[in-house]
Amino acid sequence: MWVGTRNGLNRYDGHSFKVFRPAASNSISNEIINDIAEDSRGRIWVATMEGLNIYDPAANNWTCMMPDPDTLVQAIPNFIVWDIMIDKSDRVWIASDVHAFCSYDFNRDKFTYYDWPGFARGNPTIKQYKYKSIQKFSAKSDNEFWLGTTTGLVLLNTDTKQFSFIASGGYYARVIEIVYDPENKKVFISTETGKLFTYDETENKYSEIFADEAQYPSTSFFQPEENEIWMPSEKGLIKISNDRKKIRIEQNIPQLTGTLLSGGTMSVYTDDDHIRWVATKNGISVFDPSARHSSFLPLLPVSDKESINNMGGVFYDDSSQCYFVCSLNPAAVFIINSISGQIDKIMTDENDNPFQLCINVEKDRHNNLWLLTDNHVYNYNRNTRKFLLFSTPNNGTKMTFRDMLHDEEGNYWFAPYNGRLFYYNTVQKKFIVPKDSSLKRIKNITGIKTVANNGEILIGSFGENIYKYNLVTGKKEFYHDKKGTEALSLINDINRDASGTLWVATSSGGVFRYDADMPFEKAFTGFDMKAGFTNNNILSLCSDDDTTLWLLSGNGLSAMNTRGQFLFDLKDELPFNFTSYTSDNIYPHDIFFSSINKELLVGVGGGLLIHSVKQKDSLVSFPIVITNIRSSGKSLTDLQINEASALRIPYKSNSIIFEFAGLYYGNDAGLVFEYKLQGSDKDWVNANKKFEAGYQNLPPGKYSFYVRARERGNVVSEMQGYSFRIIPSFWQTWWFYFLIAIVLATAIYTFFRYRLNQKIKILEMRNRISQDLHDDIGASMSGINLLSQIAADKLQHNKPGEASEYLLKVKNYSQDVIEKLSDIVWVFNPQNDSIEKLMQRLKAFSISVALSKNIKVHFVTDKASETANLSIQQRKAIYLISKEAINNAFKSSACSNLYYHLTANGSKWQLRIQDDGKGFTLTEKTDGNGLRNMQARADEIGAKFNIQSQPGTGTIILLEL
């Protein structure tokens, strides 16, 4: 909805406004808006005091049409544009100030001009006026326009380009509005002076017409008509009846809410849903005929903010088609004729005796009407429209008659609040007090009703019990208070539903249903705020002709069904804001349902509230749109919002807020908006009138945002899903997970492969240990065993000398075995994995032998090698190679010095063992396996093994790893 003001253009989405004002770039040209129109492309054309503007909402782009300073060809005639209209052929019709009337075909980019200035100069009536301008126009046909000018009414034929002056009509002023009624062939013109003119084509008559100003309080009753013409006026809102004969001006009533806003009206717009928008100087009044089921007829000059409700009961008489409204103060009965609209304020009876506190109007079984007042009872004569006094035993003393009953025997029972119960026997024609003495003592009677077809009546009071009385037997029962039914001693009203079941309204316990077939002590079932009601103080109740019960409380009207289910509260749906519906407990405020008119009637706020309960038309589906999207605090552009398929949000901006609106502008009190984000929400979420939905820390993925509107449980509109995507970070993508899976699989494979290799190495180590034990220890043990047997044999043959030689060899073999076992244990001990431990072992081995041979041993290592660790294989190989080399040098080299060098350079190792002995020729064959063993051990650890030796030069053994 677009609204033009004198301070900018406003876009209204149903709950918030966006204002467009002139700015440095891409903006409207002027803030004073004269008219607005929309073309078939969805663009908004705006007539201003400085150019004709075109706004493209989809692209958020403004363009402006201005007059050409050199020529009027292909340009608007004047920068002031008063009125515009776009026809079905996409031609924009333009009324600009003073200059030519024109049309612009934007599909062909072509202007067509109609020479208004030339016609004005040539017309003898118009030319006498200084200011001659077309300000409003209305289409008569496809080729004719009614022109509202500052000098009178003119007709233009666009085919012939001929102007026809109709009449000057007694005004020289700005035209506020011109309306054409093709059915009645009448033109209506409203001017800034507050005058209203009409031209009747049929009679060729132009005249000023005078509207009746609506009075406050009302002096007549008007029901809204569907095809009324509404026109703006400086005096208020002009309403022209369907027959175009009754014209009245509706104005603001300061004492009442829900009426027209103050100030003159500037414009009236009727949208596609037949909702009328009335622009005033102080805002916009909206009238929704489909939802505006309530009207208020002010009868007394009081404010709706009055703290006490001085209105009594209400009634609609089908026979006379009149509303009856009782007033406590002043004491009066208002009779409103629904046909003629006449309102009569009756304050006296037929003898001109004044009423006192008019309380209720009741109808008996013979269709007679009765008026109950504070001190008298009256019968109403429909013919004379007078109230006749019906004499009662109180003789005019204060009784406060709240209710009456015409029983099945034809007797009239009267229920006074300040007196005793009595009835009038129509056969004996006298008043009788009930025989039961306890009935005589009942005080503060608030209601009396017959129990359907069983000869019993139910009597309620305020402060005492509720009673059941049998008209035939005279038997009386009263209800004893028990838990949950204490409120039955504080009764405000008794009434029946459409099926005849009685219901009781209480002051503190909601309502009770009476089941006549149950024992009296078990006959009442209560319904209160615990069952969903909005108030426990129910002033009065009535039933429609189906299953709905209407309740009046201190807060207003609500509804329940006869099953005891609370239906809804009307407070938010009523356009009026009455402060109080109640007064003193003494006086009732009975509501009434008219089955013929389908209307609920309430006396409140000094007048009559009429709420139509006719079947409401279902709302036509309306658009629901996204108005803004904020991601991590930043709003998206309209272009980004409209291109939903391209909306991709980075994972760092995964907090998002949607703002939305339902483009329905009627009474939305019954509308409930719900939203759901598919991919996040499991169920629909109630928006609670906030029109936004926020989500924090959304995980990456695809989402669709939905909004729907429900009216009392039924879905009336639903927005197509708005889809977007949260883009994952690289570590949240499938390929990253795939890569991680590959790395993890590789790591697991590597780990298990490593474990397997370790197990293989351990197994190989065990095999080597086993092999070493078998090769070295096993051979030595076999030698020991053999030598021991030989020694034993020698001893048996008394050869102790020879036996001693063999036992010496056994000893040597045993020492060798012990030494080899010690070496094996040392090698496989993990505490000996450092070079330092290796050097200590080698020194311990070599020093004792070197001393006996008089050989000096020189051990040289660097810091890098001393701190390094060796694997078991490396430790074993280096140790055994070193031991073998040292042992060979001690045995065979005849050296004086032995040099042991172990150095490290990064990951490379070098072992150099050198002696200064006699040396040997490498090609010589030796008996031992020492050299071959050293080569084999070097190969085990992947080391290079080299021997350098010549006779007389010593020997060098090199091991590089």
Side-chain angles (χ1 to χ4, degrees):
M1 179 64 65
W2 297 87
V3 180
T5 70
R6 299 185 68 81
N7 192 32
L9 177 70
N10 297 261
R11 184 177 68 189
Y12 179 58
D13 60 20
H15 73 96
S16 63
F17 285 89
K18 181 178 180 180
V19 184
F20 298 86
R21 295 190 180 96
S25 62
N26 191 34
S27 70
I28 194 169
S29 63
N30 190 266
E31 75 277 10
I32 301 177
I33 313 301
N34 293 325
D35 199 14
I36 308 169
E38 182 180 12
D39 64 24
S40 59
R41 301 179 188 177
R43 298 179 301 176
I44 307 301
W45 295 68
V46 187
T48 74
M49 295 297 286
E50 191 177 358
L52 179 59
N53 292 259
I54 304 101
Y55 176 63
D56 185 348
N60 188 31
N61 182 63
W62 285 93
T63 56
C64 181
M65 301 176 69
M66 297 289 285
D68 191 314
D70 299 323
T71 175
L72 293 180
V73 176
Q74 296 303 308
I76 60 173
N78 194 314
F79 58 86
I80 298 177
V81 180
W82 291 117
D83 199 12
I84 56 175
M85 187 198 82
I86 302 177
D87 64 21
K88 59 186 178 183
S89 300
D90 277 340
R91 287 180 299 178
V92 184
W93 295 88
I94 305 168
S96 57
D97 192 47
V98 178
H99 290 278
F101 187 72
C102 70
S103 67
Y104 173 63
D105 187 337
F106 56 77
N107 290 320
R108 299 192 299 167
D109 191 24
K110 180 181 179 181
F111 280 90
T112 303
Y113 301 93
Y114 305 88
D115 189 11
W116 160 252
F119 171 76
R121 288 192 298 268
N123 184 276
T125 303
I126 298 177
K127 71 178 183 180
Q128 61 182 317
Y129 296 103
K130 184 177 180 180
Y131 181 57
K132 303 175 280 291
S133 178
I134 302 170
Q135 294 191 318
K136 293 290 179 180
F137 61 91
S138 179
K140 178 185 177 182
S141 63
D142 290 342
N143 63 339
E144 291 178 300
F145 285 97
W146 295 104
L147 307 180
T149 77
T150 56
T151 59
L153 179 63
V154 175
L155 179 65
L156 168 65
N157 187 305
T158 57
D159 289 343
T160 64
K161 295 190 176 183
Q162 296 297 311
F163 293 87
S164 301
F165 183 67
I166 304 301
S168 60
Y171 75 89
Y172 174 55
R174 186 172 70 87
V175 177
I176 295 179
E177 188 61 279
I178 180 170
V179 174
Y180 178 58
D181 177 15
E183 184 177 345
N184 294 286
K185 295 188 178 298
K186 289 185 177 182
V187 183
F188 297 93
I189 303 173
S190 175
T191 70
E192 66 176 347
T193 59
K195 292 184 176 182
L196 180 66
F197 299 88
T198 183
Y199 173 66
D200 190 326
E201 282 189 279
T202 304
E203 298 180 3
N204 192 26
K205 182 181 179 181
Y206 183 89
S207 60
E208 181 178 359
I209 52 178
F210 301 92
D212 296 327
E213 292 188 7
Q215 300 298 311
Y216 176 76
S218 299
T219 57
S220 58
F221 174 66
F222 292 97
Q223 287 281 31
E225 295 178 335
E226 185 176 351
N227 296 315
E228 289 179 332
I229 291 178
W230 289 17
M231 295 185 67
S233 168
E234 286 289 334
K235 296 181 179 180
L237 177 63
I238 298 173
K239 292 184 176 182
I240 305 172
S241 64
N242 288 351
D243 60 9
R244 308 303 182 241
K245 295 180 180 179
K246 297 177 184 178
I247 302 172
R248 66 188 188 279
I249 294 181
E250 183 176 312
Q251 298 171 318
N252 172 256
I253 302 175
Q255 297 90 333
L256 299 177
T257 56
T259 63
L260 185 71
L261 292 175
S262 61
T265 55
M266 312 298 293
S267 178
V268 177
Y269 172 71
T270 304
D271 64 22
D272 294 338
D273 295 320
H274 307 291
I275 299 172
R276 298 181 191 256
W277 300 70
V278 181
T280 75
K281 294 180 179 179
N282 290 292
I284 300 173
S285 293
V286 182
F287 299 86
D288 182 1
S290 65
R292 195 178 178 86
H293 293 289
S294 298
S295 59
F296 181 71
L297 183 66
L299 301 171
L300 296 174
V302 298
S303 169
D304 58 7
K305 302 297 186 294
E306 291 285 328
S307 59
I308 295 177
N309 182 13
N310 281 309
M311 307 306 292
V314 292
F315 183 82
Y316 183 79
D317 179 33
D318 298 340
S319 300
S320 62
Q321 296 182 292
C322 290
Y323 299 95
F324 288 76
V325 184
C326 294
S327 170
L328 301 172
N329 184 23
V333 178
F334 294 89
I335 304 176
I336 303 121
N337 191 302
S338 63
I339 305 302
S340 66
Q342 179 179 338
I343 298 177
D344 294 320
K345 182 180 181 181
I346 313 297
M347 303 185 71
T348 61
D349 62 13
E350 65 173 351
N351 296 319
D352 293 329
N353 295 314
F355 296 141
Q356 291 187 20
L357 299 178
C358 296
I359 295 174
N360 256 332
V361 172
E362 302 283 348
K363 185 172 71 172
D364 64 21
R365 293 173 179 269
H366 302 315
N367 201 34
N368 298 314
L369 297 184
W370 297 77
L371 171 64
L372 307 181
T373 72
D374 201 36
N375 61 341
H376 285 300
V377 176
Y378 300 87
N379 186 256
Y380 180 67
N381 188 316
R382 290 187 179 90
N383 295 322
T384 63
R385 298 166 64 187
K386 298 287 186 179
F387 288 95
L388 288 72
L389 177 65
F390 185 77
S391 297
T392 52
N394 63 303
N395 295 320
T397 59
K398 182 181 178 68
M399 295 285 282
T400 312
F401 292 100
R402 286 189 54 137
D403 202 359
M404 67 171 289
L405 169 66
H406 191 193
D407 68 22
E408 297 170 0
E409 297 178 356
N411 300 321
Y412 290 94
W413 293 71
F414 296 96
Y417 190 88
N418 293 309
R420 300 293 184 262
L421 182 69
F422 59 86
Y423 67 92
Y424 179 75
N425 189 305
T426 54
V427 176
Q428 300 179 26
K429 297 188 182 302
K430 66 177 182 179
F431 285 93
I432 299 175
V433 177
K435 297 177 181 180
D436 192 313
S437 59
S438 61
L439 288 181
K440 300 177 185 179
R441 293 193 296 270
I442 301 177
K443 296 184 297 182
N444 303 341
I445 302 173
T446 54
I448 181 171
K449 287 292 183 290
T450 58
V451 180
N453 302 319
N454 66 357
E456 294 177 334
I457 61 175
L458 208 61
I459 306 167
S461 67
F462 196 90
E464 296 193 21
N465 295 315
I466 185 169
Y467 298 85
K468 182 176 70 172
Y469 180 70
N470 192 298
L471 297 172
V472 178
T473 64
K475 180 182 178 182
K476 176 198 60 101
E477 292 182 75
F478 66 92
Y479 191 86
H480 296 280
D481 290 345
K482 59 182 181 179
K483 187 176 181 180
T485 61
E486 297 89 345
L488 283 172
S489 63
L490 298 173
I491 295 174
N492 286 326
D493 190 21
I494 304 176
N495 217 328
R496 68 181 76 254
D497 62 25
S499 67
T501 301
L502 290 180
W503 292 77
V504 180
T506 72
S507 180
S508 60
V511 298
F512 288 82
R513 181 175 59 207
Y514 174 63
D515 187 348
D517 296 329
M518 295 288 289
F520 195 54
E521 286 295 322
K522 299 180 180 180
F524 292 94
T525 304
F527 306 94
D528 56 15
M529 293 179 71
K530 296 177 182 178
F533 286 43
T534 56
N535 202 308
N536 278 339
N537 180 17
I538 307 302
L539 304 175
S540 62
L541 57 84
C542 66
S543 172
D544 66 5
D545 48 9
D546 195 3
T547 60
T548 301
L549 288 174
W550 293 94
L551 313 177
L552 179 68
S553 71
N555 293 337
L557 290 166
S558 57
M560 64 176 289
N561 61 30
T562 53
R563 295 189 300 275
Q565 296 172 321
F566 184 81
L567 299 179
F568 52 84
D569 197 322
L570 274 182
K571 183 177 181 180
D572 293 334
E573 294 191 25
L574 294 177
F576 313 102
N577 186 20
F578 300 107
T579 300
S580 177
Y581 288 84
T582 186
S583 59
D584 193 285
N585 291 329
I586 297 175
Y587 304 108
H589 302 279
D590 288 359
I591 59 178
F592 183 83
F593 181 81
S594 170
S595 297
I596 289 181
N597 298 329
K598 306 297 182 188
E599 292 174 339
L600 181 64
L601 310 178
V602 184
V604 65
L608 174 64
L609 174 63
I610 303 174
H611 179 73
S612 174
V613 294
K614 295 177 182 178
Q615 182 64 37
K616 183 179 178 180
D617 295 335
S618 298
L619 284 180
V620 178
S621 180
F622 53 86
I624 300 176
V625 297
I626 300 291
T627 58
N628 189 24
I629 298 177
R630 284 177 285 154
S631 178
S632 295
K634 296 181 180 180
S635 294
L636 276 65
T637 65
D638 290 343
L639 187 60
Q640 288 175 311
I641 294 174
N642 293 331
E643 293 180 355
S645 59
L647 183 57
R648 295 163 61 89
I649 301 174
Y651 78 97
K652 291 184 178 179
S653 304
N654 60 351
S655 296
I656 188 168
I657 296 176
F658 292 94
E659 296 177 13
F660 55 88
L663 302 185
Y664 173 71
Y665 305 104
N667 188 337
D668 63 352
L671 278 178
V672 175
F673 286 88
E674 298 174 325
Y675 61 84
K676 181 170 71 172
L677 183 63
Q678 188 174 1
S680 177
D681 296 327
K682 293 182 179 180
D683 300 312
W684 290 91
V685 181
N686 192 328
N688 292 319
K689 301 292 184 182
K690 292 183 179 179
F691 294 96
E692 70 173 33
Y695 296 89
Q696 304 293 325
N697 301 319
L698 288 174
K702 294 181 179 180
Y703 297 90
S704 292
F705 182 70
Y706 295 88
V707 183
R708 70 182 185 184
R710 292 190 302 110
E711 184 188 33
R712 292 181 181 170
N714 299 318
V715 177
V716 294
S717 291
E718 186 167 353
M719 184 188 78
Q720 184 178 359
Y722 185 92
S723 299
F724 65 97
R725 184 180 177 188
I726 303 293
I727 303 173
S729 64
F730 75 92
W731 46 266
Q732 293 173 311
T733 56
W734 66 267
W735 56 265
F736 181 79
Y737 290 138
F738 182 70
L739 181 61
I740 290 297
I742 292 176
V743 171
L744 185 61
T746 303
I748 293 173
Y749 173 78
T750 303
F751 173 74
F752 281 104
R753 187 66 185 176
Y754 171 77
R755 292 289 302 274
L756 180 61
N757 290 337
Q758 289 298 104
K759 290 181 179 180
I760 293 173
K761 289 179 180 179
I762 292 173
L763 182 60
E764 291 176 347
M765 186 187 305
R766 289 175 178 174
N767 290 335
R768 284 194 297 271
I769 293 173
S770 176
Q771 184 178 354
D772 290 342
L773 290 174
H774 179 270
D775 293 345
D776 295 336
I777 306 302
S780 297
M781 293 302 293
S782 297
I784 291 172
N785 182 44
L786 180 60
L787 292 173
S788 298
Q789 290 178 1
I790 294 173
D793 184 65
K794 294 296 183 182
L795 289 174
Q796 288 178 358
H797 291 83
N798 293 318
K799 297 179 180 181
E802 294 181 12
S804 176
E805 292 178 6
Y806 284 104
L807 289 175
L808 181 61
K809 290 181 180 181
V810 169
K811 173 187 173 185
N812 292 335
Y813 270 88
S814 297
Q815 289 178 344
D816 185 52
V817 168
I818 292 171
E819 185 178 345
K820 288 180 179 180
L821 285 174
S822 177
D823 289 342
I824 292 172
V825 171
W826 183 89
V827 166
F828 289 101
N829 189 341
Q831 295 181 353
N832 300 322
D833 60 352
S834 65
I835 296 297
E836 182 182 1
K837 296 290 186 179
L838 175 65
M839 300 305 295
Q840 292 176 358
R841 180 76 176 180
L842 289 175
K843 287 179 181 179
F845 162 72
S846 59
I847 288 175
S848 59
V849 179
L851 289 175
S852 63
K853 298 284 188 179
N854 198 24
I855 299 174
K856 294 181 179 180
V857 182
H858 308 276
F859 286 92
V860 179
T861 59
D862 58 12
K863 292 183 178 180
S865 62
E866 288 178 356
T867 58
N869 292 331
L870 299 172
S871 66
I872 293 175
Q873 293 86 349
Q874 292 173 336
R875 184 164 68 249
K876 175 188 173 187
I878 295 175
Y879 174 71
L880 294 179
I881 290 173
S882 299
K883 187 177 179 181
E884 185 75 28
I886 293 172
N887 197 38
N888 288 340
F890 286 165
K891 288 181 179 180
S892 307
S893 68
C895 64
S896 300
N897 293 283
L898 178 67
Y899 301 92
Y900 188 94
H901 293 267
L902 181 62
T903 59
N905 183 14
S907 60
K908 295 182 179 181
W909 294 76
Q910 186 182 66
L911 174 62
R912 179 186 180 95
I913 303 173
Q914 182 176 358
D915 64 58
D916 57 0
K918 60 183 179 180
F920 65 95
T921 302
L922 293 177
T923 56
E924 290 181 4
K925 292 184 179 181
T926 60
D927 298 332
N929 295 321
L931 295 179
R932 285 193 297 273
N933 289 340
M934 286 190 285
Q935 180 67 54
R937 297 188 190 282
D939 292 341
E940 285 180 3
I941 61 174
K944 294 181 180 180
F945 180 76
N946 186 26
I947 299 177
Q948 300 175 10
S949 182
Q950 290 182 359
T953 61
T955 302
I956 299 175
I957 295 175
L958 288 175
L959 182 70
E960 293 181 349
L961 177 63

